[in-house]
Amino acid sequence: MFSRQVISGAIRSNASRGMISRAGAALPSARSYATPASSIDSKPPVAVYGLDGTYASALYTAAAKTSALDSASKALATLSDVFKKDPKLAVILTAPTLSPGDKSQIIQELQRHTGGQDKGDIVKNFLQTLAEHNRLGLLEGVCEKFGTLMGASRGEVDLTVISAAKLDDKMLKRLETAVGKSEYSQGKKLKVITKVNPDIKGGLIVEIGDRTIDLSVSSKISKMNKLLTDTL
């Protein structure tokens, strides 16, 4: 279908801009197809890195060219929720033993979750493109980085809060308010993203835009160990 052609062209275009060199891997060559001119600006509003970022940017470009950004965003947000509810999904998608039949069944199941949100089957075709190139394991990262692109297009900035255990809503609201009043927000609307990482031991790691504020216990321990090593 046409949208798969657009996706392939977008992947090749993004790779040719040098994005893929930062990911340290090569994308498969895409077939050459002409795409119609569009009055909509299809260029991703910000750069997102990594191989999943390349694919997210390609999907953004393809969706913009087919006037399907909103529907694609809703579909990927739904898939992102699926990953949160079922941690085993990410493991399944990275299994090297997946057969073409397995991949087809997985795509059908993912489509069941997105339902009628997928205008023009652009996400369905994108999933098929990932499957063909053995990249289904990138889907969770693609969902996250596509969300970043959509947020940037709406003038939002990501506020990522990483904690050792899940934070309650009251704490998150206080943190969002504090950051919103600081210079870090740049006066933009904040999009709060929460992550849990027990390895940080305690405290918080706050990422806003391209800045990171590390207030984690693990970071403090590392600094203390370095100080002791340097002293002794």
Side-chain angles (χ1 to χ4, degrees):
M1 293 178 65
F2 169 71
S3 56
R4 292 186 69 187
Q5 299 170 1
V6 174
I7 291 169
S8 294
I11 291 172
R12 184 178 60 179
S13 176
N14 282 311
S16 67
R17 292 191 192 113
M19 294 178 66
I20 196 59
S21 63
R22 290 190 289 269
L27 284 172
S29 58
R31 292 166 293 182
S32 176
Y33 291 94
T35 57
S38 172
S39 59
I40 299 175
D41 184 5
S42 60
K43 183 179 178 181
V46 294
V48 286
Y49 303 106
L51 192 52
D52 52 1
T54 300
Y55 275 95
S57 297
L59 178 57
Y60 183 95
T61 298
K65 288 183 176 180
T66 54
S67 301
L69 274 176
D70 287 341
S71 59
S73 177
K74 291 177 182 176
L76 262 66
T78 298
L79 293 181
S80 182
D81 288 339
V82 173
F83 277 105
K84 292 176 182 177
K85 295 175 182 177
D86 185 5
K88 294 181 180 179
L89 178 59
V91 178
I92 293 172
L93 294 184
T94 56
T97 55
L98 289 178
S99 67
D102 293 332
K103 295 174 184 177
S104 179
Q105 289 183 5
I106 289 171
I107 290 174
Q108 288 178 15
E109 179 63 18
L110 293 175
Q111 280 183 269
R112 187 178 69 80
H113 288 284
T114 58
Q117 297 171 324
D118 187 14
K119 178 182 177 181
D121 287 340
I122 193 165
V123 173
K124 171 188 173 182
N125 294 325
F126 177 73
L127 293 174
Q128 291 175 340
T129 298
L130 290 179
E132 288 174 2
H133 300 311
N134 297 317
R135 301 296 191 189
L136 279 174
L138 296 175
L139 182 57
E140 185 174 15
V142 170
C143 290
E144 179 180 338
K145 292 185 178 179
F146 190 87
T148 297
L149 293 174
M150 289 301 298
S153 72
R154 294 189 289 259
E156 299 173 348
V157 59
D158 284 356
L159 170 61
T160 302
V161 182
I162 305 171
S163 56
K166 185 177 179 180
L167 299 176
D168 59 41
D169 292 340
K170 185 177 180 180
M171 175 64 75
L172 284 173
K173 190 63 180 179
R174 287 175 59 189
L175 186 59
E176 180 182 0
T177 300
V179 174
K181 293 179 179 178
S182 73
E183 62 180 22
Y184 295 110
S185 69
Q186 300 174 351
K188 296 182 178 180
K189 180 180 178 181
L190 298 176
K191 177 184 176 183
V192 181
I193 301 169
T194 59
K195 296 181 179 180
V196 175
N197 181 3
D199 291 341
I200 71 171
K201 309 299 183 184
L204 298 172
I205 297 177
V206 179
E207 298 174 348
I208 178 167
D210 58 356
R211 300 184 181 185
T212 299
I213 304 170
D214 192 344
L215 304 174
S216 65
V217 172
S218 61
S219 174
K220 293 178 181 178
I221 292 174
S222 295
K223 291 177 181 177
M224 185 179 297
N225 286 338
K226 185 178 185 304
L227 178 62
L228 289 172
T229 300
D230 293 345
T231 302
L232 297 177

